[in-house]
């Protein structure tokens, strides 16, 4: 069986173009969408990722403010910066980049990001809104998976979809988005037992565990669509996913590559969310002024 490769690059370009067009329209109204990325690490791959967001933002006409607090920033300093950015009218989107300095708990900090600026769905309030179907920004990676499925016309309604991973940034919000689309969702995690029990009969398997080679051809059926969210950096600096891609190619019906799959769409979505947030905040400002 030949496996269709679900590249995210074309979709990412289309989204980047949309972000660019929408940002230009807002700029014509005197509003420059601005994203702030708060960083507190020297970790090379994180620095690389942040620079890639900065480059993508520049080419989409979105201002990107990197707030680098250094690898020894305290929780108190980080909380203060997040609060200030939340109150800063010229900033429309905020990301708190992980990892954080040892001992600093990201979960305790993300609540300081104003929900309307929480363009990567990190604040528990955003996850709560998602859970009850109220408007909010979903974490960009979770939404990127849905956008890829839509782009390639892969239906999920009434289908058996297995999500491997239950984190608050990927597995849980993704499962909520899939439920909203009427999928029959099973969530697997580090303590759910042998994967094949769930994945063998799945129509779609989405892996977001951060474990190299976790899923191989023995786990799936030949009709399965496999989405690899994992991004693992090898010692030589190259990037691999959670799926043993060589084993799954030729067995699965379709597969996202790493790199060039979910990750490329995620960055474009962060920019689209920032532009959406800027538009919403400016409308809210006008409404408040008129009230
Ligand atoms: P995490 O460590 O917070 O969560 C990992 C999840 O995987 C946990 O719920 C755990 O129970 C589950 N898990 C671990 N080992 C397992 C096993 N053997 N069997 C079944 N489940 C297992 O990680 P995260 O932040 O959710 O990220 C997951 C992966 O997605 C990582 O590789 C990360 O780098 C990647 N990621 C990619 C993007 C992107 O844009 N492509 C964005 C965010 C995260």
């Amino acid at each position: 069986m030949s496996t269709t490769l679900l590249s995210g690059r074309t979709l990412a370009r289309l989204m980047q173009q949309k972000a660019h067009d929408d940002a230009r329209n807002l700029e014509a109204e005197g509003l420059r969408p601005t994203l702030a990325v708060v960083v507190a690490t020297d970790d090379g791959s994180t620095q690389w990722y942040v620079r890639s967001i900065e480059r993508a933002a520049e080419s989409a006409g979105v201002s990107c403010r990197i707030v680098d607090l250094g690898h020894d920033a305290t929780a108190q300093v980080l909380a203060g910066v997040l609060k200030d950015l939340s109150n800063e009218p010229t900033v429309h989107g905020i990301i708190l980049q992980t990892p954080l300095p040892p001992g600093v708990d990201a979960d305790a900090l993300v609540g300081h990001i104003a929900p309307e600026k929480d363009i990567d769905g990190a604040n528990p309030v955003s996850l709560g809104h998602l859970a009850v179907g109220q408007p909010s920004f979903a974490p960009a990676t979770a939404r990127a998976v849905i956008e890829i499925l839509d782009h390639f016309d892969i239906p999920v309604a009434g289908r058996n979809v297995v999500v491997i991973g239950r984190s608050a940034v990927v597995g849980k919000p993704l499962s909520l988005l899939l439920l909203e689309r009427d999928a029959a969702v099973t969530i697997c995690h580090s303590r759910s037992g042998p994967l094949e029990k769930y994945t063998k009969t799945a129509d779609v398997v989405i892996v977001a565990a951060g474990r190299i080679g976790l899923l191989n051809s023995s786990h799936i059926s030949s009709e399965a669509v496999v989405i690899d969210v994992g991004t693992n950096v090898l010692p030589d600096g190259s990037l691999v996913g959670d799926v043993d891609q060589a084993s799954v190619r030729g067995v699965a019906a379709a597969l996202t590559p790493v790199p060039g799959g979910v990750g490329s769409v995620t960055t474009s979505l962060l920019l689209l969310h920032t532009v959406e947030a800027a538009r919403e905040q400016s409308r809210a400002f006008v409404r408040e002024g008129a009230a």
Side-chain angles (χ1 to χ4, degrees):
M1 127 103 60
S2 81
T3 300
T4 305
L5 214 56
L6 308 174
S7 167
R9 293 201 198 278
T10 305
L11 176 57
R13 264 197 303 277
L14 291 171
M15 287 179 167
Q16 180 96 1
Q17 186 60 49
K18 175 160 174 42
H20 180 269
D21 294 347
D22 291 355
R24 211 173 36 187
N25 288 339
L26 286 178
E27 198 145 14
E29 296 168 22
L31 181 68
R32 173 99 169 155
T34 299
L35 170 65
V37 185
V38 178
V39 189
T41 179
D42 294 336
D43 171 62
S45 57
T46 306
Q47 297 277 348
W48 180 89
Y49 176 62
V50 168
R51 275 197 300 278
S52 76
I53 295 178
E54 197 176 16
R55 275 197 305 274
E58 261 167 33
S59 67
V62 171
S63 288
C64 186
R65 200 186 290 179
I66 309 294
V67 184
D68 193 342
L69 300 172
H71 64 275
D72 52 0
T74 62
Q76 208 179 2
V77 166
L78 279 153
V81 166
L82 292 173
K83 283 184 210 162
D84 288 348
L85 291 169
S86 290
N87 291 323
E88 166 62 61
T90 60
V91 169
H92 308 102
I94 303 170
I95 301 173
L96 174 63
Q97 191 58 48
T98 55
L100 294 172
V104 177
D105 179 13
D107 291 345
L109 287 172
V110 286
H112 295 300
I113 302 175
E116 68 275 16
K117 299 188 180 184
D118 185 24
I119 54 100
D120 201 16
N123 187 328
V125 170
S126 304
L127 191 59
H129 284 165
L130 197 64
V132 293
Q134 285 179 6
S136 70
F137 290 111
T141 305
R143 190 172 155 201
V145 172
I146 300 292
E147 295 287 344
I148 286 181
L149 293 170
D150 283 354
H151 180 72
F152 289 101
D153 289 325
I154 297 166
V156 293
R159 298 182 89 204
N160 179 2
V161 181
V162 172
V163 176
I164 303 174
R166 59 174 165 180
S167 73
V169 286
V170 192
K172 276 185 195 146
L174 176 55
S175 302
L176 292 169
L177 290 170
L178 289 162
L179 269 181
E180 208 173 78
R181 287 170 175 242
D182 301 322
V185 185
T186 303
I187 306 172
C188 293
H189 47 82
S190 51
R191 305 186 75 175
S192 54
L195 287 177
E196 56 273 19
K197 187 170 144 195
Y198 306 98
T199 52
K200 264 289 185 192
T201 52
D203 300 303
V204 180
V205 182
I206 305 166
V207 200
R211 300 279 182 277
I212 296 172
L214 180 65
L215 193 92
N216 61 46
S217 59
S218 75
H219 293 107
I220 56 165
S221 79
S222 57
E223 288 89 40
V225 171
V226 178
I227 309 289
D228 191 353
V229 181
T231 49
N232 307 290
V233 184
L234 295 178
D236 69 1
S238 58
L239 207 63
V240 293
D242 290 351
V243 175
D244 180 343
Q245 296 249 341
S247 150
V248 164
R249 276 186 205 204
V251 176
L255 170 68
T256 57
V258 178
V262 177
S264 41
V265 178
T266 300
T267 308
S268 301
L269 268 174
L270 290 173
L271 303 180
L272 267 182
H273 282 181
T274 303
V275 176
E276 269 175 51
R279 192 186 304 114
E280 267 314 302
Q281 284 159 46
S282 110
R283 283 184 189 154
F285 182 74
V286 171
R287 277 197 301 271
E288 277 163 26

